Amino acid sequence: VFSVSATTRLPRSGEVDGQEYYFMDRKKFNQMTKNSEFIEFAEVFGNFYGTPKKDIQKLIQDGLDVIIDVDWQGGTQIRNSYLSSFVVSIFILPPTIQSLEERLLLRAQDDRRTVDFRMQEARSEISHWAEYDYVLINDNFLKTKEDIMKIIQAEKMRRQRQASLPDFISQLNSEFDLIKG
């Protein structure tokens, strides 16, 4: 599941509070920050964004894989948080800088000035690619989505993520004792 972040920016056309984001004023956001209610937060393009801890904790307790879509600042905070042992970080690159600009323009969510500002910041964002466990080049959305699912599946198979293995090994060993018996 995708996490829902909080933001101080205004909703775009068609966005629903609690679905795409929790939309809130700066006063409420600052209060949540002071109360350590975010697992990560940052100011991005003049607005604040943060991921509420309680939501992430609930989703994890429910046994769900949680995808948190954040910039490099948020990624760093999450990788350095109490959840670090559960984190698998994936950095997604555009195939070209031109295609990045085209995607920003085609989604028609920002004015030209905002797109230009995002493009100026893109070089800095991209410079953080080496901090991530995996790096994907998003030249085909369906293939990239498939690759993300493969990464999640492979990570679930890591020995240290399989909590039931010690009990299973113990059971296997007890079967040896029965055979000797």
Side-chain angles (χ1 to χ4, degrees):
V1 297
F2 271 93
S3 68
V4 177
S5 296
T7 183
T8 59
R9 78 162 172 75
L10 296 174
R12 293 178 178 131
S13 177
E15 289 182 326
V16 177
D17 185 49
Q19 235 176 306
E20 287 80 13
Y21 289 95
Y22 298 113
F23 296 100
M24 60 185 63
D25 60 29
R26 287 180 184 250
K27 183 178 178 182
K28 180 171 182 178
F29 193 96
N30 290 337
Q31 188 60 50
M32 289 180 72
T33 302
K34 286 178 188 171
N35 293 339
S36 299
E37 294 180 48
F38 293 119
I39 189 167
E40 63 80 29
F41 66 92
E43 183 176 5
V44 181
F45 305 118
N47 293 297
F48 289 95
Y49 294 83
T51 305
K53 278 183 190 177
K54 67 178 169 119
D55 292 2
I56 301 303
Q57 291 167 337
K58 169 102 174 69
L59 293 168
I60 291 172
Q61 286 170 352
D62 290 347
L64 298 171
D65 298 318
V66 183
I67 297 174
I68 306 173
D69 180 10
V70 293
D71 72 344
W72 70 270
Q73 297 171 86
T76 300
Q77 290 175 52
I78 293 168
R79 287 191 307 277
N80 293 328
S81 76
Y82 68 97
L83 291 174
S84 63
S85 64
F86 300 101
V87 173
V88 176
S89 61
I90 305 170
F91 195 95
I92 301 176
L93 291 166
T96 67
I97 298 305
Q98 181 180 346
S99 69
L100 173 62
E101 184 175 34
E102 288 170 2
R103 288 175 186 177
L104 290 172
L105 290 169
L106 286 174
R107 71 181 192 174
Q109 294 179 338
D110 298 309
D111 60 27
R112 183 64 214 202
R113 191 172 133 244
T114 303
V115 170
D116 289 344
F117 183 66
R118 286 181 180 269
M119 291 303 297
Q120 289 171 13
E121 295 296 312
R123 182 184 297 249
S124 173
E125 289 280 330
I126 290 171
S127 74
H128 294 275
W129 69 271
E131 299 164 19
Y132 288 72
D133 299 322
Y134 298 90
V135 178
L136 300 177
I137 299 169
N138 186 13
D139 53 358
N140 177 304
F141 175 76
L142 292 177
K143 181 183 178 315
T144 301
K145 181 179 173 183
E146 199 174 283
D147 288 344
I148 290 169
M149 297 307 295
K150 288 176 185 176
I151 290 168
I152 291 169
Q153 277 307 117
E155 286 291 330
K156 285 182 175 185
M157 301 307 294
R158 286 186 176 267
R159 178 182 41 81
Q160 61 269 31
R161 293 189 195 277
Q162 295 187 53
S164 63
L165 271 181
D167 290 338
F168 180 75
I169 299 301
S170 179
Q171 176 62 40
L172 287 178
N173 284 328
S174 69
E175 290 178 31
F176 279 121
D177 294 338
L178 291 173
I179 292 172
K180 286 182 186 177

